[in-house]
Amino acid sequence: MKTLIALSVAAAVLLSAQAAEAKGCIKGAIVGGVAGHYAGHHGMLGAAAGCLYGRHRAKQQERDQDRQQQSQDNGRT
């Protein structure tokens, strides 16, 4: 029950953050929190790690999309 309350509070805090910073974090935190809970009752640790990984992946995908768009724009000129 404590984990559920903590995840709810964490989600509320993350939702109030700017969209650019929270991109990928919420989904990663949910998945990490659930995985951490079942892997030895470490839901908060899993949520934090999932948030960091989610943000990393979101930034990586954004960079890849920017590179792809730039290469398409260079091909048109």
Side-chain angles (χ1 to χ4, degrees), residues 5-6 12 15 18 24 28 32 36-37 51 55-58 61 64-66 70 72 77:
I5 293 170
L15 288 173
Q18 294 177 349
H37 174 73
C51 176
R55 285 182 59 186
H56 170 72
R57 286 290 296 155
Q61 287 176 347
D64 290 345
Q65 287 176 353
D66 288 344
Q70 285 178 354
Q72 288 175 354
T77 57

Side-chain angles (χ1 to χ4, degrees), residues 3 6-8 10-11 14 24-37 41-55:
T3 303
L7 286 174
S8 298
L14 293 174
C25 182
I26 296 170
K27 183 178 180 182
I30 291 169
V31 172
V34 171
H37 174 73
H41 300 288
H42 297 290
M44 292 299 291
L45 183 61
C51 176
L52 291 174
Y53 179 74
R55 285 182 59 186

